[in-house]
Each structure stands twice: as structure tokens, then as C-alpha cells.
Amino acid sequence: MADGLNMSRRIRRTPYTDRVEAAGVRGFSVVNHMLLPKAFERSVEEDYWHLKEHVQIWDVSCQRQVEISGADAAALVQWMTPRNISNAKIGDCLYIPILDDQAGLINDPVLLKLAEDRFWLSIADSDVLLYAKGLALGRGLDVIVHEPDVYPLALQGPRAEALLSEMFGAEIEKIGFFKFGWIDIFGTRQLIARSGYSRQGGFEIYLNGASLGGPLWDKIWQAGQSYNISPGCPNLIERIEGGLLSYGNEMTSETNPLEIGLGKYCSLDGAVEFIGRPALEKIAAAGPDRLIHGVVFNAPACPTCAVPWPVRVGKSRVGAITSGIYSPRLKKKHWAVAY
Ligand code: THG
């Protein structure tokens, strides 16, 4: 298969891409029309072990923010998700499914409540900006929907807290899981959350201002030397072991949240009105047709799961593997997520 991307302006670089290239990136994926590093010099396995022990710096700018502000902002966000957001406080992050009218998943972003009338949706790979704008226009809502100049940079791994505490002050240690606070970066006020696409702990800096990206990377890189910092990216082995779902892989608009274990983020008690509610209630009443499972299997090798691999019992197809990879921890066996 042909490899490599034909880079063009449609595939957006990030404020950190120069640094990522200097750090020896071996390839990119494209998420939200923006580059996401896929691997560095070391193997995915070596990166996995490093992530579990040290700290890594990840360019996750492709986690684009869709900002929704205005008098009807909370109403629009609530309309888009089955998760009841009425008790969310300023400073909270919430993982929320976003549904269409059939209860199919449009996206699974992290919601940040910045003010009573201002939210960010930190999105996975689909055009939520267009969905939100369309809904707002169609309903005549009093909101502004736009993509701010914000580029998340993740520090993941058990040493992330010590490094960031040394750099930006011990205050960050008080930030709870899935909460955010504020730090000073080059004299600017910047958002930092205890979150990230790994189970090893860490933070995400939602850097506001592209021009600060390179200098911020350099500053963290320098301070990180005594913490054995390395460049990294979301690690497929760690994410599958950790059960973190990936939009486009474990879910598409053909998937509903009840099939993939997101029922806990769905208000089915009638407390909130949201798009797809009748469809979701119908599915809940009948019970979902399929359910996601983690599976472990033995195989000599495990290529990238670019198309779902059928799972058969005898001759009948009982499901499909949507993500899979060799587990160096379990040796020989592979982890996968399957229907
Ligand atoms: N960080 C930020 N934005 C993102 C991601 C991220 N956008 C895209 C993608 N990742 C969204 N997917 C997920 C999936 C799981 C989690 C976060 C983002 C996650 N969930 C916790 C859990 O499952 O335990 C907590 C959920 C909760 O309590 O609300 O960490 O990684 N900025």
C-alpha cells in the first residue's frame, strides 16, 4: 500500500508541528483536518513502556475546540447531548456523547464549561462545528459558534504532574480529575485540565495563541530533560488496554451510545430534552442489538485494523474487531475491542 500523505493547506499543521518534526516524527494521521503524530523514532511498544513510567509531550492540537457562547449556549449544548449537563460547574470537564436524530453518534467530545454561557467541545474526528452551526441557524438560537485559536498540548504519564508543578506552580496539583484551572504561560492566562487520552495520568494545556506553541514546547522540553521526557502521541496499546474508545473506530454514526458502554452518560429518566431522545429510549427499552467487549486472542502478528475484522463462531459472524494490537504486557496475545 502507498504510504505518506500529500501535504497541502487542507491538512492543517499545528503550532507544534515544527518541533514534532525536529523530534523525529515518523508519520502522521489526520484528525479534524489537522496533523496528529502517529509514531516517533521508538516503536509503539517502547513508547508504551515509557509512557507508563515517565512523561511524554503530545501534540494533540487536532482535538479542536468548538466554542459555543451566548444566551442560548447551555440550551444548545444540552440539546446536542443525552448527558444531563444541568449540574455542571464552571471548571468541569465532562465526557459527552453527541447524537443525531437516530441516536447515532456524531462525536464523543470532552465538554469544558468556561462560564454559564460559554462552552468548549474538545472534539474527536468529525465536523461538530458544522452540526452546531446548523442546529443554531435552524432553530434561530442566540449563540456564536466558532473555532478558537486553541491548540491542546498533552503531558501524559506518571511524571507529568511533578514536571508541570515545577514549571507552573504547585497549584496545579489541586486540580481534580476532569477539572481545569489556569496557569501563567509567558504572561498569558492559559487553561490546564487534568485529562488526556491515556490512563497514565496527566494534563492537557489548551494553549490559546498559535504563536506561543513553539516556545511553550521548547520550555517544557528543556524542563522535562530531568524527567526523561520524550515526544509521544496517543499510544494504541495503552488506549486499547485502558478501554478508551475512538470515534471512527469503535463508533460511527451507525453506533448508538448504549452499544459501546456510554449508557452512563445518557439521561434516560426524562430529565432532559435532547436530539435522538425518542430513538434512544426505544433502543433502551428493547435492549441494544450488540455490545462492545474487550477480547484477548492469540495470533502471530497483528497489523493495523484498517477495516473491521470479522469475528466468527463456526460459520456465523458474531461481531467485528474494531481496534487491535499486540500487547507486550500479555505477551503474544492481542488486545482488541469487538462487537
Ligand atoms: N482530550 C481532549 N479532547 C479529546 C480527547 C481527549 N477529544 C477527542 C477524544 N479525546 C474524545 N474521547 C475521549 C474518550 C475518553 C476520555 C476522554 C476523551 C476519558 N474519559 C474518562 C473515562 O472514561 O474514565 C472520564 C469520563 C468522565 O468522567 O466524564 O478520559 O483525550 N481534551
Side-chain angles (χ1 to χ4, degrees):
M1 203 196 295
D3 212 349
L5 280 171
N6 281 314
M7 297 292 185
S8 77
R9 267 169 55 80
R10 285 187 296 102
I11 299 174
R12 300 182 284 178
R13 291 171 68 85
T14 88
Y16 316 112
T17 305
D18 288 347
R19 302 305 192 274
V20 160
E21 286 168 342
V25 71
R26 276 196 291 122
F28 291 101
S29 182
V30 177
V31 172
N32 289 320
H33 319 279
M34 188 171 269
L35 292 172
L36 171 66
K38 268 325 235 185
F40 287 82
E41 276 152 11
R42 287 197 303 231
S43 69
V44 177
E45 263 181 62
E46 287 167 319
D47 270 353
Y48 165 84
W49 292 116
H50 179 273
L51 173 61
K52 283 169 93 79
E53 265 186 62
H54 305 284
V55 52
Q56 295 186 353
I57 182 170
W58 296 0
D59 175 3
V60 285
S61 300
C62 65
Q63 293 170 182
R64 305 306 303 144
Q65 306 309 300
V66 175
E67 179 169 317
I68 302 181
S69 62
D72 293 328
L76 175 55
V77 174
Q78 183 62 84
W79 193 35
M80 291 166 74
T81 180
R83 185 162 180 183
N84 187 341
I85 64 155
S86 63
N87 293 324
K89 294 183 193 67
I90 294 165
D92 283 353
C93 304
L94 291 93
Y95 181 45
I96 62 166
I98 291 184
L99 305 185
D100 67 15
D101 57 321
Q102 301 301 311
L105 280 148
I106 294 280
N107 203 283
D108 68 329
V110 177
L111 171 71
L112 290 87
K113 181 166 176 174
L114 301 165
E116 291 303 331
D117 60 356
R118 188 162 161 248
F119 299 84
W120 281 348
L121 296 171
S122 183
I123 62 172
D125 192 22
S126 74
D127 296 310
V128 174
L129 185 92
L130 303 180
Y131 191 52
K133 267 189 195 254
L135 294 171
L137 287 168
R139 264 212 169 172
L141 297 176
D142 181 4
V143 290
I144 296 170
V145 179
H146 85 117
E147 185 179 291
D149 191 31
V150 170
Y151 304 89
L153 184 66
L155 279 303
Q156 297 289 296
R159 303 288 280 148
E161 179 167 48
L163 168 60
L164 292 175
S165 175
E166 178 191 301
M167 293 185 69
F168 301 111
E171 286 294 295
I172 64 134
E173 293 171 19
K174 295 194 198 128
I175 299 171
F177 180 64
F178 258 58
K179 306 277 182 219
F180 66 80
W182 300 89
I183 52 174
D184 181 286
I185 297 178
F186 306 126
T188 63
R189 190 168 171 265
Q190 300 287 350
L191 191 155
I192 182 165
R194 193 187 287 271
S195 58
Y197 206 52
S198 87
R199 295 287 187 198
Q200 305 311 313
F203 291 83
E204 293 179 298
I205 297 170
Y206 287 67
L207 183 70
N208 195 329
S211 62
L212 302 174
L216 175 63
W217 177 289
D218 293 342
K219 195 176 149 102
I220 296 174
W221 184 252
Q222 215 164 24
Q225 289 313 305
S226 48
Y227 293 84
N228 195 16
I229 195 170
S230 100
C233 50
N235 184 281
L236 192 55
I237 304 168
E238 200 275 342
R239 131 167 135 73
I240 291 174
E241 285 191 352
L244 290 166
L245 305 176
S246 159
Y247 191 82
N249 290 304
E250 279 69 64
M251 71 193 101
T252 68
S253 59
E254 302 293 306
T255 317
N256 70 64
L258 305 184
E259 293 171 329
I260 55 165
L262 299 186
K264 56 183 180 251
Y265 305 121
C266 297
S267 164
L268 287 162
D269 58 5
V272 289
E273 200 53 58
F274 56 88
I275 294 168
R277 183 175 136 179
L280 194 66
E281 285 174 348
K282 212 169 138 190
I283 296 162
D289 292 339
R290 49 184 191 170
L291 278 177
I292 200 162
H293 285 282
V295 295
V296 180
F297 61 97
N298 264 313
C302 191
T304 306
C305 186
V307 290
W309 299 326
V311 178
R312 294 191 183 87
V313 173
K315 279 195 176 147
S316 61
R317 189 181 190 278
V318 295
I321 286 174
T322 53
S323 291
I325 197 158
Y326 170 73
S327 167
R329 199 171 49 83
L330 298 173
K331 304 271 192 318
K332 280 207 175 140
K333 298 196 175 127
H334 296 74
W335 262 103
V337 190
Y339 287 114

